[in-house]
Amino acid sequence: MEITLWGVRGNMASSALDTVFYGGNTTCIELRSDAGTRVFFDAGTGLREAGSTLPDSGECHLFITHAHADHIIGLWFFKPLHSPDWTTHLYLPNWLGYLPDYFFAGGIFPVPFSTLKGNVVQHLIRAHEEIRVGADEMRVTALPTCHPDDCLGYRVDVDAARFFYSGDHEIKANDAARAATREMLTDADIAVVDATYDRSDYKKNWGHSAWEDWVDAAQGAGVRNLILSHHEVGKSDQELDRVAQEVSAYENPDGPEIYLARENLRFSPDGPIPSVRLESDWMLRFLDELSHYKDESVTLDRILAMARTVTNADAGTIFLVDGDELAFAYTHNDSLFAVSNAYKYAYATSRLPVSEASIAGYVACTGKTLNLDDVRQLPPDAPYRFNDEFDRSTSYRTRSMLTVPFLDLEGRVSGVLQLINRLSGKPEQPAPFTLNMAHTARLLAREAGSVITHNALYRKNVYNILKMARVHDPSETGPHAERVGAVASELYQRWAEKNDLSPEEIRYGKSHIRLAAMLHDIGKVGISDLILRKAENLSKEEYRIMRSHTELGASILAEETDSISVLAHDIALHHHQKWNGEGYAGSSDAGRLAGQDIPLAARITSIADVFDALISPRCYKKAWTFEEAFALLRKEAGQHFDPELVVCMEELRDMLPMIYQRFPDTE
Ligand code: C2E
Ligand code: SIN
Ligand code: SIN
Ligand code: FE
Ligand code: FE
């Protein structure tokens, strides 16, 4: 069996910006048996979307728990009821036989039920009745729940599994309700339940339960997956994130797996099914692509490009939270510079405080979406002001601005995505962003935010490894590694563009080489400090030992099999190879390579590494100037270095100072 959550709200539907993540449709759950029998529970607004995914003909079963508006309002908009090629079995609690006709009679809907084109077979069900449904004879049992005006929950046994849907139910109303809850949950592989409240906002006798009470009731009842649903309409995504955190703290290791219901999630008895239509296909494809990149600037570049595409924004900026500041992290601006030039701005260094005084700061503080039609006409009582410094320094004219937060896995704001000037027909007249665009941008930022968080974790691992190396080699600093990584990734991009690689290949390669190049000297952890810190020239024997840092690094990295470690292994082993074959990949001359036989990533890292070694002071030498360093690269082109890559390096001449400013030596 497979369960799809089409609507997870109670009370009424919401299309507010801050409910878009968990979803605003009212309750509707689909069960599909292995044999293909389709059953829907409740006809909240989620039913409309469920219907829109159905084929043009067929048969389905729709069970209603009770007649409160949030459970029935979608009925009239269910595709099968409007098609002569569909038959819908409509199961109503036996006291609700009047319901279909009442919509028309009561002036709630303009068309009588009997005139709809779909075939409807109506069934009335009594509490505790058990019926058989579909060709596979699934067993559906109606279990009365505790709710004003009465309500039926439904239990389904099919495919050797058990499903339970509570409709609305107040566990704590009385002792009978408590006892009934036990029976409802017994041995359910999947239970979708009414957890409108938590214990802090629980309202006695309103007919709903607090999630903690479901968790307690499920304890020892043999429930495998408990899905907390029917979220109160006023609960924002941020509040539900907080509930999700509390749930995981409350969860008992012996109890069921517990999930907060979210629109479009699917489950099997074994747990969540990776959704094929989570938000929409483009977003899924995009998230899948993003998950391949571990490098921040590539990830941010892609997120910004995608956010601008879906909102038709002329420009955009990403800020990331760093302590109590927002660090400017990435920007695009089609009117001012080609996107292919945007990489330069990845190394900009401006910062804003996380405070309500700026637009980005306000969004970072509050987690809200700000959709401003014109940044020069802000409400007088708004705490934030538009900072026009960028406009004044560039003659750009910012008008409409859509700003949404990035959230990390715990729902904390980790950054801000700002989209600027929605393009319209008239170039001088950017249009306001629509509500729909605001929704889409927020969802995109929400999903991409967890990718950013993941990548940051991965990078943190790289930094931690580098820190160990630094303990005894003062030149192996974070900034040194960052600079080598940044220069290597930019060199790779130049090289790849000249060699006509596709944009996808370039992004992938660029993302990998940066982190891998940062680890080039990791083998120095195994070299004595006496050698590393020696102020004079190394003796022959010392230099022989020093050369072994290449094989040492490679052997450390050889244990890992992820694609970045594989690349890092090649770089560590070969970054001291020379184009003319006179370099080394170990303490002896064994394993020497020349020319194209040296892996490209190692040839690239070699230039980035030597350049940085020359520009930086070392215990054994002074810092060189950029011009001196470039003179050496030119002299060694075709000797030490791949001449094609030296040309690429020359083309980066303008950008290198930005990289060096962005990652200065701190110690
Ligand atoms: P490193 O300091 O990170 O330098 C990396 C590479 O940059 C060197 O690889 C070399 O190709 C280049 N390089 C650095 N400084 C200079 C320079 O003043 N002139 C020229 N022409 N090239 C330079 P190499 O030579 O294989 O050295 C590998 C590592 O061995 C160095 O990494 C450093 O840690 C160590 N090392 C090399 N020579 C000495 C030395 O005289 N004294 C000490 N204490 N360490 C040295
Ligand atoms: C929704 O309410 O989730 C969709 C409406 C919109 O995208 O503007
Ligand atoms: C990932 O981003 O998928 C891996 C993160 C990590 O290894 O820490
Ligand atoms: Fe309800
Ligand atoms: Fe090295």
Side-chain angles (χ1 to χ4, degrees):
M1 86 170 54
E2 187 177 302
I3 300 298
T4 305
L5 311 182
W6 292 107
V8 301
R9 287 278 155 193
N11 320 116
M12 65 178 288
S14 164
S15 67
L17 284 181
D18 63 2
T19 55
V20 67
F21 183 72
Y22 287 92
N25 279 314
T26 63
T27 185
C28 175
I29 313 294
E30 179 179 354
L31 181 154
R32 235 179 131 184
S33 70
D34 296 350
T37 304
R38 284 180 199 275
V39 185
F40 297 91
F41 295 94
D42 272 339
T45 58
L47 184 66
R48 191 193 62 83
E49 204 168 327
S52 71
T53 65
L54 293 174
D56 289 338
S57 63
E59 185 178 49
C60 67
H61 303 266
L62 172 56
F63 286 82
I64 303 296
T65 61
H66 66 300
H68 289 163
D70 53 331
H71 295 248
I72 59 167
I73 197 73
L75 183 64
W76 302 87
F77 303 91
F78 187 41
K79 179 169 119 177
L81 294 181
H82 299 272
S83 161
D85 300 321
W86 268 93
T87 298
T88 304
H89 294 267
L90 178 61
Y91 303 83
L92 295 163
N94 63 348
W95 62 91
L96 290 183
Y98 71 90
L99 188 69
D101 291 335
Y102 183 75
F103 271 59
F104 176 69
I108 297 168
F109 193 77
V111 183
F113 196 73
S114 56
T115 64
L116 298 184
K117 293 203 201 81
N119 307 301
V120 178
V121 184
Q122 194 166 308
H123 309 253
L124 296 179
I125 304 198
R126 280 170 291 108
H128 299 294
E129 184 174 346
E130 180 187 303
I131 57 166
R132 300 282 173 158
V133 169
D136 45 354
E137 301 241 302
M138 62 169 75
R139 210 165 81 216
V140 181
T141 312
L143 298 173
T145 70
C146 188
H147 194 58
D149 305 328
D150 291 336
C151 175
L152 293 180
Y154 293 103
R155 179 165 72 202
V156 180
D157 288 282
V158 68
D159 303 332
R162 175 170 279 187
F163 168 73
F164 172 69
Y165 170 62
S166 72
D168 289 359
H169 177 52
E170 183 168 2
I171 299 177
K172 280 196 162 167
N174 49 53
D175 288 344
R178 270 180 235 268
T181 305
R182 191 84 187 164
E183 189 201 343
M184 293 170 192
L185 289 173
T186 300
D187 293 335
D189 294 284
I190 305 173
V192 179
V193 300
D194 168 11
T196 303
Y197 301 127
D198 53 48
R199 280 187 185 148
S200 70
D201 61 7
Y202 171 64
K203 295 182 187 69
K204 178 91 178 147
N205 295 329
W206 282 47
H208 303 286
S209 298
W211 63 262
E212 295 95 327
D213 292 323
W214 282 109
V215 176
D216 290 353
Q219 204 57 42
V223 179
R224 288 175 72 194
N225 298 282
L226 180 66
I227 302 169
L228 306 170
S229 190
H230 203 272
H231 307 308
E232 191 180 38
V233 64
K235 283 206 173 139
S236 66
D237 291 335
Q238 292 99 302
E239 286 170 279
L240 289 173
D241 283 340
R242 188 179 44 71
V243 173
Q245 272 175 274
E246 289 171 10
V247 167
S248 46
Y250 195 86
E251 217 167 332
N252 184 322
D254 309 324
E257 296 292 329
I258 305 176
Y259 304 92
L260 233 53
R262 185 179 153 199
E263 226 167 81
N264 294 332
L265 288 189
R266 296 189 307 148
F267 288 83
S268 78
D270 294 327
I273 302 173
S275 183
V276 289
R277 50 183 313 285
L278 181 59
E279 307 307 342
S280 57
D281 287 351
W282 69 261
M283 199 176 299
L284 274 174
R285 279 198 304 274
F286 177 63
L287 292 171
D288 183 54
E289 180 201 324
L290 270 195
S291 68
H292 293 103
Y293 309 134
K294 296 285 178 283
D295 178 61
E296 183 170 277
S297 73
V298 173
T299 312
L300 299 184
D301 181 66
R302 290 302 294 150
I303 293 169
L304 195 50
M306 185 51 95
R308 287 180 50 233
T309 303
V310 296
T311 59
N312 208 13
D314 183 48
T317 300
I318 290 176
F319 299 88
L320 295 178
V321 172
D322 181 12
D324 52 10
E325 290 184 319
L326 275 176
F328 175 96
Y330 215 79
T331 193
H332 285 171
N333 190 315
D334 280 354
S335 298
L336 291 183
F337 53 85
V339 165
S340 62
N341 250 340
Y343 60 84
K344 284 190 192 177
Y345 296 86
Y347 302 105
T349 49
S350 49
R351 282 171 172 264
L352 282 175
V354 175
S355 85
E356 298 198 355
S358 68
I359 293 170
Y362 178 82
V363 169
C365 282
T366 60
K368 290 184 179 165
T369 295
L370 262 192
N371 190 0
L372 303 169
D373 292 356
D374 185 344
V375 291
R376 288 187 174 72
Q377 294 187 28
L378 298 178
D381 56 347
Y384 44 82
R385 287 281 155 268
F386 172 61
N387 176 353
D388 65 353
E389 210 174 285
F390 180 82
D391 281 18
R392 277 189 287 123
S393 67
T394 58
S395 80
Y396 189 71
R397 196 160 167 84
T398 303
R399 189 179 174 118
S400 54
M401 183 184 274
L402 168 61
T403 310
V404 296
F406 287 110
L407 300 175
D408 68 13
L409 301 170
E410 270 87 48
R412 286 181 304 239
V413 177
S414 59
V416 165
L417 167 66
Q418 193 158 69
L419 296 157
I420 296 165
N421 286 351
R422 177 183 158 213
L423 295 173
S424 65
K426 297 180 207 136
E428 297 307 313
Q429 285 267 338
F433 292 93
T434 66
L435 181 62
N436 198 346
M437 289 170 173
H439 277 202
T440 308
R442 185 161 180 119
L443 262 182
L444 179 63
R446 167 80 196 218
E447 296 287 356
S450 46
V451 177
I452 294 177
T453 309
H454 260 290
N455 292 353
L457 278 176
Y458 192 92
R459 263 196 323 282
K460 196 154 177 246
N461 286 342
V462 172
Y463 290 160
N464 286 341
I465 297 171
L466 289 170
K467 263 190 214 153
M468 291 192 315
R470 184 169 53 197
V471 169
H472 71 169
D473 181 0
S475 72
E476 277 321 303
T477 60
H480 163 69
E482 291 273 20
R483 292 189 302 257
V484 172
V487 172
S489 76
E490 301 304 342
L491 267 177
Y492 170 80
Q493 180 168 353
R494 289 300 141 296
W495 178 90
E497 281 166 2
K498 284 176 203 248
N499 286 275
D500 292 326
L501 270 63
S502 71
E504 292 74 32
E505 286 171 297
I506 295 178
R507 282 198 290 272
Y508 187 79
K510 202 180 170 196
S511 161
H512 277 58
I513 198 172
R514 181 194 303 261
L515 289 166
M518 287 173 73
L519 294 169
H520 65 280
D521 266 345
I522 194 66
K524 284 187 180 173
V525 292
I527 307 294
S528 156
D529 316 29
L530 298 177
I531 299 181
L532 288 169
R533 295 173 188 258
K534 185 171 173 183
E536 301 91 56
N537 287 349
L538 299 180
S539 71
K540 230 178 148 198
E541 174 57 12
E542 287 167 338
Y543 193 58
R544 196 187 63 77
I545 294 171
M546 177 53 114
R547 284 164 52 141
S548 69
H549 79 278
T550 51
E551 347 175 61
L552 261 173
S555 67
I556 295 169
L557 290 158
E559 287 166 25
E560 308 294 324
T561 55
D562 65 279
S563 49
I564 290 180
S565 299
V566 169
L567 189 65
H569 167 274
D570 285 356
I571 292 174
L573 187 59
H574 297 297
H575 73 282
H576 288 290
Q577 301 277 16
K578 294 189 180 178
W579 184 255
N580 63 11
E582 291 174 13
Y584 59 90
S587 50
S588 73
D589 288 344
R592 275 185 163 177
L593 298 176
Q596 310 270 3
D597 289 343
I598 308 168
L600 172 69
R603 282 182 269 145
I604 287 173
T605 305
S606 155
I607 295 189
D609 179 36
V610 172
F611 187 83
D612 198 65
L614 297 173
I615 291 299
S616 310
R618 288 281 194 267
C619 55
Y620 62 94
K621 61 168 275 293
K622 315 197 309 295
W624 294 22
T625 65
F626 274 43
E627 298 325 316
E628 289 166 336
F630 266 104
L632 180 117
L633 293 187
R634 278 190 287 266
K635 183 169 137 274
E636 292 288 332
Q639 295 300 315
H640 190 153
F641 306 116
D642 176 346
E644 187 187 357
L645 289 171
V646 174
V647 174
C648 296
M649 188 72 175
E650 306 237 36
E651 290 166 5
L652 290 180
R653 182 67 185 82
D654 287 353
M655 193 176 157
L656 290 169
M658 302 185 75
I659 295 178
Y660 276 76
Q661 265 164 34
R662 173 74 180 74
F663 304 113
D665 281 313
T666 44
E667 283 117 307

